[in-house]
mmCIF file of all heavy atoms in Angstrom:
data_model
loop_
_atom_site.group_PDB
_atom_site.id
_atom_site.type_symbol
_atom_site.label_atom_id
_atom_site.label_comp_id
_atom_site.label_asym_id
_atom_site.label_seq_id
_atom_site.Cartn_x
_atom_site.Cartn_y
_atom_site.Cartn_z
ATOM 1 N N GLY A 29 9.214 -1.935 -21.061
ATOM 2 C CA GLY A 29 10.374 -1.924 -20.169
ATOM 3 C C GLY A 29 10.928 -3.300 -19.892
ATOM 4 O O GLY A 29 11.951 -3.427 -19.208
ATOM 5 N N LEU A 30 10.239 -4.326 -20.399
ATOM 6 C CA LEU A 30 10.653 -5.728 -20.261
ATOM 7 C C LEU A 30 10.866 -6.095 -18.784
ATOM 8 O O LEU A 30 10.126 -5.639 -17.927
ATOM 9 C CB LEU A 30 11.881 -5.989 -21.114
ATOM 10 C CG LEU A 30 11.695 -5.706 -22.624
ATOM 11 C CD1 LEU A 30 12.985 -5.960 -23.386
ATOM 12 C CD2 LEU A 30 10.541 -6.517 -23.178
ATOM 13 N N ALA A 31 11.859 -6.924 -18.500
ATOM 14 C CA ALA A 31 12.004 -7.464 -17.150
ATOM 15 C C ALA A 31 12.229 -6.366 -16.108
ATOM 16 O O ALA A 31 11.699 -6.427 -14.987
ATOM 17 C CB ALA A 31 13.154 -8.461 -17.113
ATOM 18 N N THR A 32 13.008 -5.345 -16.467
ATOM 19 C CA THR A 32 13.272 -4.259 -15.521
ATOM 20 C C THR A 32 11.988 -3.533 -15.153
ATOM 21 O O THR A 32 11.699 -3.290 -13.975
ATOM 22 C CB THR A 32 14.285 -3.265 -16.118
ATOM 23 O OG1 THR A 32 15.500 -3.946 -16.423
ATOM 24 C CG2 THR A 32 14.558 -2.134 -15.143
ATOM 25 N N GLY A 33 11.210 -3.167 -16.171
ATOM 26 C CA GLY A 33 9.942 -2.492 -15.927
ATOM 27 C C GLY A 33 8.982 -3.371 -15.135
ATOM 28 O O GLY A 33 8.254 -2.882 -14.261
ATOM 29 N N HIS A 34 8.995 -4.653 -15.436
ATOM 30 C CA HIS A 34 8.122 -5.603 -14.757
ATOM 31 C C HIS A 34 8.402 -5.627 -13.253
ATOM 32 O O HIS A 34 7.482 -5.515 -12.427
ATOM 33 C CB HIS A 34 8.334 -6.988 -15.381
ATOM 34 C CG HIS A 34 7.443 -8.048 -14.836
ATOM 35 N ND1 HIS A 34 7.848 -9.360 -14.717
ATOM 36 C CD2 HIS A 34 6.180 -8.024 -14.362
ATOM 37 C CE1 HIS A 34 6.868 -10.084 -14.222
ATOM 38 N NE2 HIS A 34 5.849 -9.296 -13.993
ATOM 39 N N TRP A 35 9.664 -5.754 -12.903
ATOM 40 C CA TRP A 35 10.030 -5.817 -11.488
ATOM 41 C C TRP A 35 9.819 -4.475 -10.785
ATOM 42 O O TRP A 35 9.287 -4.433 -9.660
ATOM 43 C CB TRP A 35 11.483 -6.245 -11.343
ATOM 44 C CG TRP A 35 11.673 -7.718 -11.419
ATOM 45 C CD1 TRP A 35 12.030 -8.465 -12.505
ATOM 46 C CD2 TRP A 35 11.485 -8.644 -10.348
ATOM 47 N NE1 TRP A 35 12.081 -9.799 -12.190
ATOM 48 C CE2 TRP A 35 11.750 -9.948 -10.875
ATOM 49 C CE3 TRP A 35 11.132 -8.534 -9.015
ATOM 50 C CZ2 TRP A 35 11.670 -11.097 -10.099
ATOM 51 C CZ3 TRP A 35 11.041 -9.679 -8.227
ATOM 52 C CH2 TRP A 35 11.313 -10.934 -8.771
ATOM 53 N N LEU A 36 10.213 -3.379 -11.422
ATOM 54 C CA LEU A 36 10.113 -2.067 -10.781
ATOM 55 C C LEU A 36 8.660 -1.693 -10.496
ATOM 56 O O LEU A 36 8.335 -1.196 -9.408
ATOM 57 C CB LEU A 36 10.767 -0.996 -11.649
ATOM 58 C CG LEU A 36 12.297 -1.022 -11.705
ATOM 59 C CD1 LEU A 36 12.816 0.066 -12.642
ATOM 60 C CD2 LEU A 36 12.898 -0.842 -10.304
ATOM 61 N N VAL A 37 7.775 -1.942 -11.465
ATOM 62 C CA VAL A 37 6.371 -1.571 -11.261
ATOM 63 C C VAL A 37 5.707 -2.500 -10.245
ATOM 64 O O VAL A 37 4.826 -2.076 -9.496
ATOM 65 C CB VAL A 37 5.614 -1.574 -12.608
ATOM 66 C CG1 VAL A 37 4.127 -1.369 -12.397
ATOM 67 C CG2 VAL A 37 6.163 -0.479 -13.515
ATOM 68 N N THR A 38 6.130 -3.758 -10.196
ATOM 69 C CA THR A 38 5.600 -4.651 -9.161
ATOM 70 C C THR A 38 5.939 -4.129 -7.774
ATOM 71 O O THR A 38 5.066 -4.026 -6.895
ATOM 72 C CB THR A 38 6.162 -6.071 -9.328
ATOM 73 O OG1 THR A 38 5.746 -6.611 -10.586
ATOM 74 C CG2 THR A 38 5.660 -6.976 -8.207
ATOM 75 N N LEU A 39 7.206 -3.803 -7.574
ATOM 76 C CA LEU A 39 7.622 -3.263 -6.272
ATOM 77 C C LEU A 39 6.948 -1.920 -5.996
ATOM 78 O O LEU A 39 6.509 -1.652 -4.875
ATOM 79 C CB LEU A 39 9.138 -3.107 -6.233
ATOM 80 C CG LEU A 39 9.940 -4.413 -6.330
ATOM 81 C CD1 LEU A 39 11.437 -4.119 -6.411
ATOM 82 C CD2 LEU A 39 9.635 -5.318 -5.131
ATOM 83 N N GLY A 40 6.855 -1.094 -7.052
ATOM 84 C CA GLY A 40 6.179 0.202 -6.891
ATOM 85 C C GLY A 40 4.703 0.029 -6.571
ATOM 86 O O GLY A 40 4.139 0.798 -5.776
ATOM 87 N N GLY A 41 4.074 -0.974 -7.181
ATOM 88 C CA GLY A 41 2.662 -1.228 -6.913
ATOM 89 C C GLY A 41 2.424 -1.649 -5.472
ATOM 90 O O GLY A 41 1.467 -1.203 -4.823
ATOM 91 N N ILE A 42 3.288 -2.521 -4.967
ATOM 92 C CA ILE A 42 3.173 -2.948 -3.561
ATOM 93 C C ILE A 42 3.324 -1.744 -2.630
ATOM 94 O O ILE A 42 2.563 -1.571 -1.667
ATOM 95 C CB ILE A 42 4.225 -4.025 -3.235
ATOM 96 C CG1 ILE A 42 3.927 -5.303 -4.022
ATOM 97 C CG2 ILE A 42 4.266 -4.305 -1.738
ATOM 98 C CD1 ILE A 42 4.993 -6.373 -3.894
ATOM 99 N N LEU A 43 4.303 -0.889 -2.933
ATOM 100 C CA LEU A 43 4.524 0.318 -2.118
ATOM 101 C C LEU A 43 3.334 1.263 -2.205
ATOM 102 O O LEU A 43 2.888 1.825 -1.190
ATOM 103 C CB LEU A 43 5.804 1.019 -2.577
ATOM 104 C CG LEU A 43 6.175 2.301 -1.833
ATOM 105 C CD1 LEU A 43 6.415 2.010 -0.353
ATOM 106 C CD2 LEU A 43 7.408 2.948 -2.464
ATOM 107 N N PHE A 44 2.803 1.433 -3.412
ATOM 108 C CA PHE A 44 1.672 2.342 -3.633
ATOM 109 C C PHE A 44 0.438 1.893 -2.846
ATOM 110 O O PHE A 44 -0.204 2.696 -2.149
ATOM 111 C CB PHE A 44 1.369 2.392 -5.132
ATOM 112 C CG PHE A 44 0.247 3.322 -5.516
ATOM 113 C CD1 PHE A 44 0.112 4.576 -4.942
ATOM 114 C CD2 PHE A 44 -0.681 2.938 -6.470
ATOM 115 C CE1 PHE A 44 -0.922 5.434 -5.304
ATOM 116 C CE2 PHE A 44 -1.711 3.774 -6.851
ATOM 117 C CZ PHE A 44 -1.840 5.025 -6.257
ATOM 118 N N VAL A 45 0.109 0.614 -2.936
ATOM 119 C CA VAL A 45 -1.053 0.086 -2.214
ATOM 120 C C VAL A 45 -0.835 0.190 -0.701
ATOM 121 O O VAL A 45 -1.761 0.531 0.056
ATOM 122 C CB VAL A 45 -1.318 -1.387 -2.619
ATOM 123 C CG1 VAL A 45 -2.423 -1.998 -1.764
ATOM 124 C CG2 VAL A 45 -1.691 -1.472 -4.093
ATOM 125 N N SER A 46 0.387 -0.069 -0.252
ATOM 126 C CA SER A 46 0.683 -0.004 1.180
ATOM 127 C C SER A 46 0.553 1.420 1.708
ATOM 128 O O SER A 46 -0.030 1.658 2.782
ATOM 129 C CB SER A 46 2.089 -0.541 1.448
ATOM 130 O OG SER A 46 2.208 -1.893 1.038
ATOM 131 N N LEU A 47 1.103 2.391 0.961
ATOM 132 C CA LEU A 47 1.018 3.782 1.400
ATOM 133 C C LEU A 47 -0.419 4.278 1.386
ATOM 134 O O LEU A 47 -0.810 5.094 2.245
ATOM 135 C CB LEU A 47 1.890 4.669 0.497
ATOM 136 C CG LEU A 47 3.402 4.481 0.637
ATOM 137 C CD1 LEU A 47 4.147 5.334 -0.383
ATOM 138 C CD2 LEU A 47 3.856 4.817 2.053
ATOM 139 N N TRP A 48 -1.200 3.796 0.444
ATOM 140 C CA TRP A 48 -2.617 4.161 0.403
ATOM 141 C C TRP A 48 -3.317 3.685 1.679
ATOM 142 O O TRP A 48 -4.115 4.407 2.269
ATOM 143 C CB TRP A 48 -3.282 3.542 -0.824
ATOM 144 C CG TRP A 48 -4.679 4.028 -1.110
ATOM 145 C CD1 TRP A 48 -5.808 3.761 -0.384
ATOM 146 C CD2 TRP A 48 -5.097 4.863 -2.186
ATOM 147 N NE1 TRP A 48 -6.908 4.349 -0.940
ATOM 148 C CE2 TRP A 48 -6.500 5.037 -2.060
ATOM 149 C CE3 TRP A 48 -4.429 5.458 -3.257
ATOM 150 C CZ2 TRP A 48 -7.241 5.789 -2.971
ATOM 151 C CZ3 TRP A 48 -5.172 6.209 -4.159
ATOM 152 C CH2 TRP A 48 -6.557 6.377 -4.014
ATOM 153 N N ARG A 49 -2.973 2.466 2.091
ATOM 154 C CA ARG A 49 -3.577 1.929 3.321
ATOM 155 C C ARG A 49 -3.110 2.719 4.536
ATOM 156 O O ARG A 49 -3.886 2.940 5.485
ATOM 157 C CB ARG A 49 -3.219 0.441 3.486
ATOM 158 C CG ARG A 49 -3.854 -0.207 4.711
ATOM 159 C CD ARG A 49 -5.360 -0.287 4.578
ATOM 160 N NE ARG A 49 -5.998 -0.747 5.814
ATOM 161 C CZ ARG A 49 -6.527 0.056 6.724
ATOM 162 N NH1 ARG A 49 -6.489 1.385 6.560
ATOM 163 N NH2 ARG A 49 -7.116 -0.437 7.803
ATOM 164 N N VAL A 50 -1.852 3.159 4.514
ATOM 165 C CA VAL A 50 -1.352 4.006 5.597
ATOM 166 C C VAL A 50 -2.162 5.303 5.656
ATOM 167 O O VAL A 50 -2.568 5.764 6.733
ATOM 168 C CB VAL A 50 0.139 4.315 5.400
ATOM 169 C CG1 VAL A 50 0.600 5.380 6.399
ATOM 170 C CG2 VAL A 50 0.974 3.056 5.562
ATOM 171 N N GLY A 51 -2.422 5.891 4.486
ATOM 172 C CA GLY A 51 -3.208 7.120 4.435
ATOM 173 C C GLY A 51 -4.624 6.928 4.956
ATOM 174 O O GLY A 51 -5.210 7.845 5.547
ATOM 175 N N GLU A 52 -5.188 5.734 4.741
ATOM 176 C CA GLU A 52 -6.540 5.471 5.227
ATOM 177 C C GLU A 52 -6.617 5.473 6.750
ATOM 178 O O GLU A 52 -7.695 5.686 7.319
ATOM 179 C CB GLU A 52 -7.034 4.124 4.702
ATOM 180 C CG GLU A 52 -7.371 4.118 3.222
ATOM 181 C CD GLU A 52 -7.891 2.766 2.774
ATOM 182 O OE1 GLU A 52 -7.654 1.758 3.477
ATOM 183 O OE2 GLU A 52 -8.541 2.707 1.708
ATOM 184 N N MET A 53 -5.507 5.219 7.403
ATOM 185 C CA MET A 53 -5.502 5.174 8.867
ATOM 186 C C MET A 53 -5.820 6.544 9.473
ATOM 187 O O MET A 53 -6.121 6.651 10.677
ATOM 188 C CB MET A 53 -4.151 4.683 9.363
ATOM 189 C CG MET A 53 -3.861 3.226 9.035
ATOM 190 S SD MET A 53 -4.836 2.082 10.008
ATOM 191 C CE MET A 53 -3.965 2.134 11.577
ATOM 192 N N VAL A 54 -5.748 7.595 8.658
ATOM 193 C CA VAL A 54 -6.100 8.926 9.141
ATOM 194 C C VAL A 54 -7.596 9.008 9.423
ATOM 195 O O VAL A 54 -8.041 9.746 10.324
ATOM 196 C CB VAL A 54 -5.684 9.992 8.108
ATOM 197 C CG1 VAL A 54 -6.120 11.381 8.545
ATOM 198 C CG2 VAL A 54 -4.177 9.956 7.887
ATOM 199 N N VAL A 55 -8.377 8.251 8.636
ATOM 200 C CA VAL A 55 -9.836 8.253 8.810
ATOM 201 C C VAL A 55 -10.183 7.374 10.014
ATOM 202 O O VAL A 55 -9.831 6.186 10.025
ATOM 203 C CB VAL A 55 -10.543 7.729 7.542
ATOM 204 C CG1 VAL A 55 -12.062 7.782 7.723
ATOM 205 C CG2 VAL A 55 -10.108 8.539 6.331
ATOM 206 N N PRO A 56 -10.862 7.913 11.024
ATOM 207 C CA PRO A 56 -11.127 7.144 12.247
ATOM 208 C C PRO A 56 -11.803 5.796 12.000
ATOM 209 O O PRO A 56 -11.429 4.793 12.623
ATOM 210 C CB PRO A 56 -12.037 8.090 13.052
ATOM 211 C CG PRO A 56 -11.646 9.457 12.586
ATOM 212 C CD PRO A 56 -11.333 9.295 11.122
ATOM 213 N N LYS A 57 -12.793 5.741 11.124
ATOM 214 C CA LYS A 57 -13.526 4.479 10.939
ATOM 215 C C LYS A 57 -12.710 3.422 10.201
ATOM 216 O O LYS A 57 -13.085 2.253 10.175
ATOM 217 C CB LYS A 57 -14.831 4.733 10.182
ATOM 218 C CG LYS A 57 -14.659 5.192 8.752
ATOM 219 C CD LYS A 57 -16.021 5.351 8.077
ATOM 220 C CE LYS A 57 -15.867 5.754 6.620
ATOM 221 N NZ LYS A 57 -17.193 5.889 5.943
ATOM 222 N N LEU A 58 -11.577 3.834 9.596
ATOM 223 C CA LEU A 58 -10.728 2.893 8.891
ATOM 224 C C LEU A 58 -9.511 2.469 9.712
ATOM 225 O O LEU A 58 -8.702 1.679 9.239
ATOM 226 C CB LEU A 58 -10.259 3.492 7.552
ATOM 227 C CG LEU A 58 -11.360 3.804 6.532
ATOM 228 C CD1 LEU A 58 -10.759 4.422 5.277
ATOM 229 C CD2 LEU A 58 -12.149 2.554 6.176
ATOM 230 N N ARG A 59 -9.405 2.990 10.929
ATOM 231 C CA ARG A 59 -8.281 2.631 11.773
ATOM 232 C C ARG A 59 -8.473 1.240 12.369
ATOM 233 O O ARG A 59 -9.588 0.837 12.697
ATOM 234 C CB ARG A 59 -8.128 3.643 12.901
ATOM 235 C CG ARG A 59 -7.659 5.014 12.440
ATOM 236 C CD ARG A 59 -7.653 5.995 13.604
ATOM 237 N NE ARG A 59 -7.363 7.353 13.155
ATOM 238 C CZ ARG A 59 -7.527 8.426 13.916
ATOM 239 N NH1 ARG A 59 -7.964 8.283 15.169
ATOM 240 N NH2 ARG A 59 -7.258 9.625 13.434
ATOM 241 N N VAL A 60 -7.371 0.531 12.458
ATOM 242 C CA VAL A 60 -7.398 -0.806 13.061
ATOM 243 C C VAL A 60 -6.168 -0.948 13.968
ATOM 244 O O VAL A 60 -5.304 -0.073 13.994
ATOM 245 C CB VAL A 60 -7.376 -1.913 11.975
ATOM 246 C CG1 VAL A 60 -8.658 -1.907 11.162
ATOM 247 C CG2 VAL A 60 -6.159 -1.760 11.058
ATOM 248 N N SER A 61 -6.086 -2.048 14.668
ATOM 249 C CA SER A 61 -4.935 -2.297 15.533
ATOM 250 C C SER A 61 -3.692 -2.555 14.691
ATOM 251 O O SER A 61 -3.777 -2.787 13.483
ATOM 252 C CB SER A 61 -5.212 -3.504 16.423
ATOM 253 O OG SER A 61 -5.330 -4.676 15.632
ATOM 254 N N GLY A 62 -2.539 -2.526 15.345
ATOM 255 C CA GLY A 62 -1.291 -2.735 14.632
ATOM 256 C C GLY A 62 -1.234 -4.072 13.934
ATOM 257 O O GLY A 62 -0.802 -4.173 12.780
ATOM 258 N N ALA A 63 -1.690 -5.129 14.595
ATOM 259 C CA ALA A 63 -1.661 -6.468 14.000
ATOM 260 C C ALA A 63 -2.566 -6.544 12.778
ATOM 261 O O ALA A 63 -2.189 -7.108 11.740
ATOM 262 C CB ALA A 63 -2.081 -7.504 15.038
ATOM 263 N N GLU A 64 -3.779 -5.952 12.885
ATOM 264 C CA GLU A 64 -4.714 -5.977 11.755
ATOM 265 C C GLU A 64 -4.183 -5.123 10.596
ATOM 266 O O GLU A 64 -4.367 -5.465 9.427
ATOM 267 C CB GLU A 64 -6.082 -5.457 12.200
ATOM 268 C CG GLU A 64 -6.788 -6.352 13.199
ATOM 269 C CD GLU A 64 -7.042 -7.738 12.624
ATOM 270 O OE1 GLU A 64 -7.590 -7.833 11.515
ATOM 271 O OE2 GLU A 64 -6.673 -8.732 13.287
ATOM 272 N N PHE A 65 -3.517 -4.028 10.921
ATOM 273 C CA PHE A 65 -2.949 -3.166 9.884
ATOM 274 C C PHE A 65 -1.918 -3.923 9.054
ATOM 275 O O PHE A 65 -1.925 -3.865 7.813
ATOM 276 C CB PHE A 65 -2.303 -1.941 10.531
ATOM 277 C CG PHE A 65 -1.462 -1.130 9.590
ATOM 278 C CD1 PHE A 65 -2.042 -0.296 8.648
ATOM 279 C CD2 PHE A 65 -0.068 -1.217 9.633
ATOM 280 C CE1 PHE A 65 -1.250 0.446 7.765
ATOM 281 C CE2 PHE A 65 0.723 -0.485 8.768
ATOM 282 C CZ PHE A 65 0.129 0.359 7.826
#
């Protein structure tokens, strides 16, 4: 995908990792304060 694919997957990767961390907040032992999140 060259430069377009490079940029899109980078942004998608950041979003994917962030949403995964959001999902972890459902688990009580993985919850943290807003600042730590």
Side-chain angles (χ1 to χ4, degrees):
L30 301 178
T32 301
H34 183 213
W35 277 97
L36 287 178
V37 173
T38 297
L39 296 175
I42 294 174
L43 180 62
F44 182 42
V45 174
S46 300
L47 290 176
W48 190 290
R49 182 67 187 97
V50 171
E52 288 182 341
M53 292 288 283
V54 176
V55 182
K57 66 177 182 179
L58 297 178
R59 290 175 187 168
V60 293
S61 65
E64 293 300 309
F65 169 76

